[in-house]
Amino acid sequence: MRSRKPLALFAAAAFVLAGCGGGGGDASTEGPVTLTWWHNRTTEPMKSKWQQIADDFHRTHPNTSFTIEPLQNEQFQTKVPLALQGNTPPDLFQQWGGGALADQLKSGKLADITQASSGWIGPLAKNADGWKAGGKQYGAPYLMHAVGFWYRKDIFATAGITSAPTTVDELNAAVTKLKAAGVVPIALGGKDRWPDAFYWAYFAVRQCSVDTLKKAVEKTELTDPCFLKAGENLKSFLDTKPFQDGFVGTPAQQGAGSSAGLVANGKAAMELQGDWNPDVMQALTEDKEIGSKIGWFPFPSVPGGQGDPSVLLGGGDGFSCTTRAAKACAEFLGHLVGDDVQKILAETNSGLPVTPAGVAALKSEPHKTIAEAMTKASYLQFYFDTAFPTKVGQALNDTIANFFAGQGGPDTIVKSVSEAAAGNK
Amino acid sequence: MMSAAITTRPPTAPVPHAPAAGGTRRRSRLRTRLELALLLVPALVLFVGFVLIPIGVAGYYSLYSWNGFGPLTDFVGLDNYVEAFSGDVFQGAIGHNLIIATLSIVVQLPLSIGLALLLNRKLRGRTFLRMVVFAPYVLSEAVTAVIWLLMLQPGGFVDEILRGVGLGGFVQLWLADQSLVLYTLFVVITWKYIGFGVILLLAGLQGVPPELREAAALDGASAWQTTRHVVLPLLGPTIRIWVFLSVIGSLQLFDLVWIMTLGGPANASTTMATYLVDHGFKRYEFGFGSAVAVILFIICFLFALLYQRFALRRDTQGALTGVR
């Protein structure tokens, strides 16, 4: 009898929890349906754009309405798993694909939209691959992203740098010139950890061949010596002290003192960041001309590296549908990758359109450059924290951040992946 | 404690218009029970549903390696606990919590008492000053954290102020220096919570009878002697409650640290709660996270029990322990 008591307690708990979440019910996908939509655009202009796109869709599809909940990026990491454990997950939510998607699949709540998307997924080509698992489509991107150096053209000119660095040696030379000109060469938001990871990832992408990169993600291991070498190259780069003082405590996007804020306000010359950075910068400065003052160049090549210098590090913003209203949701995803919406998205400069029609509609110079680089790239390496299963990706990011703070070495980074994959905390 | 508080006992006061007849007494006892049930059941249901069951469920999850999706299948026994305790980062986190708790008592308590004594005196602008001291406590923790995060950036508001008053030499990398960041956070915590201690102690001071001070003054006691030997002992219960709340708060410290440093740089400011979120939620290791949550709970619970038993016993006599 004694041993059965805990079981009874947990059964009761499960019952209560199930009861709490039971309000959802199964709405018929044919009748009117209200999609709960969690997206990550909490700031303008995208926040209103999504609202407008949803309203437009409702006008042409009166049976589908929306309850929109914009959430900050960080919140998704905790809210999505909780929601997928419950009985009322959002019907449509921000999905970065890769390893997290594979983790989420185990909840059984993600909708397989392979069939439903067959009519519109074609033009996305390889952009849609990150939202696949086991050959099935579990979501779709609406914008792709790529990381590269954003720089202040005016500051580069003042410091006497005439062309964007194409090799790490040129980058180091630029850093020296910028220091001499009294400007912080590169701003880095080390508090948030993920910006640190961009550097390690790019040194790995430049050092390792595409095949090696693919194999590493597939097997969740960094056993190839090129990953160790990447860490050593990163170490040499850090030794040139290219960042602002106290970068390990600097937030990436909050306030004028953040890394994006430093560049936006002319206190720093460069930042290795995603294509979304102009939006972020604009919000952090009074300077209305900031958009025309910044330019973009890809991460420079590393002498002696096996990596293809055209390969970009990036990812994408997408959405996954949950099973309750999968049909209406997939239809809406199709609408998002349609020419009309892709053109609207292209005008916001908040990412790279996923279809050729969208790319053609890009207006901002830096974004055209990035989209061009993306088209030319022989491969898009997903951010490692996204490509790997979540626990491995986060462990890798933490280890890289510690490395930036002076703890551990290139070998620690490589080991963190195999250890996390083996289940060590 | 709970059970002591709800122990049914025959009313000590004579039951009004109670005839000696046994039937009526039994009926009134039944009525007392019914009333108790009626009053306690809603609270009890909430307590069981939202406190006891979640704790039980967390304990259950903590025995599994589970990523939060799908059924619990990978039973690992106490491995999660062993792994948490054997990790440097978690050991460091416990240490950070203890440092914050100790500093709270050593620094915040005297500061609160001093401010409360000061603000209890008749001085111009007292209401205004009380408001100023209390204001930060009203701010939400997230707002406090963001404001201070921005002010503490290199070249930010704090640095400017220091340079402005000629203390530029004291400027530090407040949030980036691994040996300093925890103490920077402690200053912000103090700024935020000092008002609470002051208000609590001011309330306590109202309970010190003026006659006692007068009597002490008549006996020739100096102001310091009066404070030390008359006022402080009478503030004892308030101070003990404050220490209790402060230590529990320090052990559960999360929001401020999470927003200002995420526990960094290099885990220099990790607390048990940030470790929990970092290694539980962010890594989708819900079994492990549950184990950390249970450890945090047990530490707080043990402290609460021991403190109630040994420090608060006198203060709460009658209130919690019941009249025998």
Side-chain angles (χ1 to χ4, degrees):
Chain A
M1 264 328 270
R2 274 178 74 95
S3 64
R4 290 181 60 173
K5 264 188 180 168
L7 263 181
L9 176 71
F10 296 129
F15 178 76
V16 169
L17 287 176
C20 286
D26 282 328
S28 159
T29 46
E30 303 298 332
V33 62
T34 301
L35 299 177
T36 306
W37 181 13
W38 290 3
H39 67 69
N40 69 339
R41 302 306 181 129
T42 52
T43 53
E44 299 301 344
M46 278 301 291
K47 195 178 163 191
S48 325
K49 288 274 191 251
W50 278 143
Q51 184 67 51
Q52 181 204 326
I53 288 165
D55 292 346
D56 291 349
F57 188 78
H58 176 63
R59 215 162 293 132
T60 52
H61 302 73
N63 267 348
T64 308
S65 4
F66 293 88
T67 309
I68 303 182
E69 245 183 278
L71 299 169
Q72 288 205 323
N73 275 337
E74 277 72 16
Q75 284 187 282
F76 282 89
Q77 290 167 327
T78 49
K79 286 195 88 163
V80 166
L82 286 177
L84 290 178
Q85 270 168 261
N87 284 338
T88 50
D91 299 302
L92 161 73
F93 64 94
Q94 173 71 23
Q95 172 66 265
W96 287 280
L101 185 147
D103 282 343
Q104 291 169 7
L105 265 184
K106 292 172 193 142
S107 73
K109 300 237 166 66
L110 296 198
D112 171 6
I113 59 165
T114 318
Q115 283 287 309
S117 67
S118 56
W120 49 261
I121 203 94
L124 275 69
K126 66 179 198 301
N127 284 341
D129 289 351
W131 287 259
K132 268 187 192 154
K136 290 179 181 165
Q137 201 74 38
Y138 287 99
Y142 59 89
L143 281 175
M144 297 307 285
H145 291 298
V147 174
F149 274 106
W150 288 98
Y151 72 106
R152 293 278 302 224
K153 292 188 260 183
D154 49 345
I155 298 179
F156 264 44
T158 319
I161 305 163
T162 46
S163 63
T166 57
T167 66
V168 167
D169 295 333
E170 285 177 32
L171 181 65
N172 288 338
V175 164
T176 311
K177 280 187 187 169
L178 287 161
K179 275 189 185 171
V183 189
V184 171
I186 307 178
L188 174 62
K191 186 213 103 181
D192 289 314
R193 302 182 203 158
W194 51 266
D196 297 342
F198 288 161
Y199 283 90
W200 182 86
Y202 254 128
F203 274 106
V205 163
R206 292 288 176 261
Q207 194 64 39
C208 307
S209 71
V210 171
D211 279 346
T212 311
L213 293 171
K214 283 183 181 165
K215 217 176 73 192
V217 170
E218 203 176 293
K219 298 194 166 169
T220 319
E221 59 177 30
L222 302 176
T223 41
D224 196 285
C226 68
F227 290 106
L228 200 62
K229 179 73 180 145
E232 285 159 12
N233 291 342
L234 173 59
K235 179 91 185 66
S236 325
F237 180 67
L238 294 185
D239 287 342
T240 68
K241 300 204 182 307
F243 307 121
Q244 80 276 17
D245 280 347
F247 64 86
V248 289
T250 306
Q253 303 180 336
Q254 288 167 303
S258 64
S259 55
L262 288 172
V263 179
N265 293 294
K267 302 253 170 67
M270 291 180 262
E271 186 185 12
L272 183 63
Q273 263 296 355
D275 54 83
W276 54 80
N277 223 23
D279 265 5
V280 179
M281 286 188 196
Q282 185 61 75
L284 300 174
T285 179
E286 299 285 304
D287 187 351
K288 295 279 169 247
E289 303 298 307
I290 183 69
S292 61
K293 288 180 184 163
I294 49 178
W296 188 90
F297 63 88
F299 195 89
S301 66
V302 174
Q306 310 269 298
D308 177 344
S310 79
V311 175
L312 291 177
L313 177 74
D317 282 312
F319 293 115
S320 272
C321 299
T322 50
T323 47
R324 187 185 72 98
K327 191 166 172 247
C329 174
E331 203 176 350
F332 182 62
L333 287 193
H335 178 67
L336 296 185
V337 302
D339 291 356
D340 294 344
V341 171
Q342 284 293 306
K343 279 176 191 163
I344 296 178
L345 293 179
E347 281 163 23
T348 62
N349 292 329
S350 50
L352 311 170
V354 290
T355 59
V359 168
L362 277 171
K363 294 231 167 57
S364 117
E365 277 308 318
H367 283 88
K368 278 193 211 165
T369 319
I370 304 173
E372 199 182 316
M374 193 81 146
T375 317
K376 275 194 214 150
S378 61
Y379 180 59
L380 174 73
Q381 172 61 53
F382 256 51
Y383 317 116
F384 285 97
D385 61 356
T386 313
F388 284 140
T390 307
K391 64 174 179 183
V392 179
Q394 293 297 327
L396 176 64
N397 275 10
D398 289 356
T399 315
I400 295 171
N402 288 352
F403 180 65
F404 272 70
Q407 285 191 4
D411 55 327
T412 328
I413 298 175
V414 169
K415 257 186 272 166
S416 72
V417 166
S418 51
E419 280 177 9
N424 298 333
K425 308 302 184 296
Chain B
M1 226 132 313
M2 212 51 201
S3 63
I6 59 171
T7 310
T8 46
R9 56 187 169 81
T12 43
V15 181
H17 50 80
T24 322
R25 170 159 295 182
R26 205 172 304 135
R27 208 177 309 142
S28 82
R29 197 175 295 163
L30 189 73
R31 215 180 110 170
T32 318
R33 294 224 170 117
L34 267 176
E35 277 174 6
L36 276 174
L38 198 70
L39 293 171
L40 285 176
V41 159
L44 215 57
V45 165
L46 288 178
F47 186 74
V48 170
F50 289 100
V51 180
L52 292 185
I53 290 181
I55 291 171
V57 172
Y60 177 58
Y61 289 163
S62 74
L63 303 176
Y64 288 82
S65 175
W66 183 48
N67 73 354
F69 307 104
L72 294 149
T73 47
D74 189 0
F75 183 82
V76 295
L78 295 176
D79 280 9
N80 285 331
Y81 292 89
V82 173
E83 235 172 315
F85 278 120
S86 58
D88 296 345
V89 179
F90 190 62
Q91 287 172 8
I94 297 177
H96 297 152
N97 281 115
L98 292 180
I99 290 175
I100 295 286
T102 311
L103 283 177
S104 297
I105 294 169
V106 175
V107 177
Q108 285 177 8
L109 183 60
L111 206 61
S112 302
I113 294 175
L115 279 170
L117 287 172
L118 192 71
L119 291 173
N120 197 39
R121 298 175 64 149
K122 291 201 167 51
L123 53 110
R124 280 165 69 96
R126 184 171 73 167
T127 319
F128 176 72
L129 285 174
R130 281 183 182 181
M131 209 179 71
V132 167
V133 170
F134 191 63
Y137 181 69
V138 183
L139 282 181
S140 88
E141 207 157 311
V143 171
T144 310
V146 171
I147 293 173
W148 279 93
L149 171 65
L150 300 185
M151 292 202 304
L152 286 165
Q153 288 307 312
F157 185 76
V158 171
D159 290 2
E160 289 304 314
I161 291 280
L162 283 175
R163 291 201 180 96
V165 299
L167 293 173
F170 286 95
V171 168
Q172 299 285 335
L173 295 172
W174 304 110
L175 295 173
D177 186 333
Q178 288 169 43
S179 51
L180 190 72
V181 60
L182 194 63
Y183 304 97
T184 308
L185 289 172
F186 174 72
V187 170
V188 178
I189 294 166
T190 305
W191 179 84
K192 168 114 178 74
Y193 286 104
I194 198 82
F196 179 65
V198 170
I199 288 289
L200 212 61
L201 290 163
L202 272 174
L205 282 172
Q206 307 317 306
V208 177
E211 304 86 56
L212 289 183
R213 289 168 184 265
E214 282 164 24
L218 280 179
D219 287 344
S222 67
W224 164 246
Q225 283 170 322
T226 311
T227 304
R228 170 72 188 81
H229 297 289
V230 177
V231 177
L232 281 186
L234 287 170
L235 270 183
T238 317
I239 292 176
R240 284 190 284 274
I241 277 288
W242 180 87
V243 168
F244 179 70
L245 295 175
S246 180
V247 170
I248 293 288
S250 305
L251 291 176
Q252 297 179 338
L253 184 60
F254 174 72
D255 312 37
L256 229 127
V257 179
W258 191 250
I259 294 171
M260 291 183 67
T261 68
L262 282 174
N267 300 311
S269 61
T270 309
T271 67
M272 286 188 277
T274 66
Y275 182 85
L276 193 172
V277 172
D278 226 352
H279 292 243
F281 284 95
K282 287 194 82 175
R283 295 191 183 184
Y284 287 11
E285 298 265 22
F286 291 87
F288 183 70
S290 298
V292 175
V294 169
I295 293 170
L296 178 56
F297 167 74
I298 288 174
I299 291 176
C300 291
F301 192 61
L302 275 183
F303 169 76
L305 281 185
L306 292 175
Y307 195 80
Q308 298 266 17
R309 176 72 181 78
F310 292 107
L312 290 180
R313 199 179 179 196
R314 257 189 325 160
D315 305 332
T316 52
Q317 230 166 29
L320 287 174
T321 46
V323 184
R324 285 185 212 285

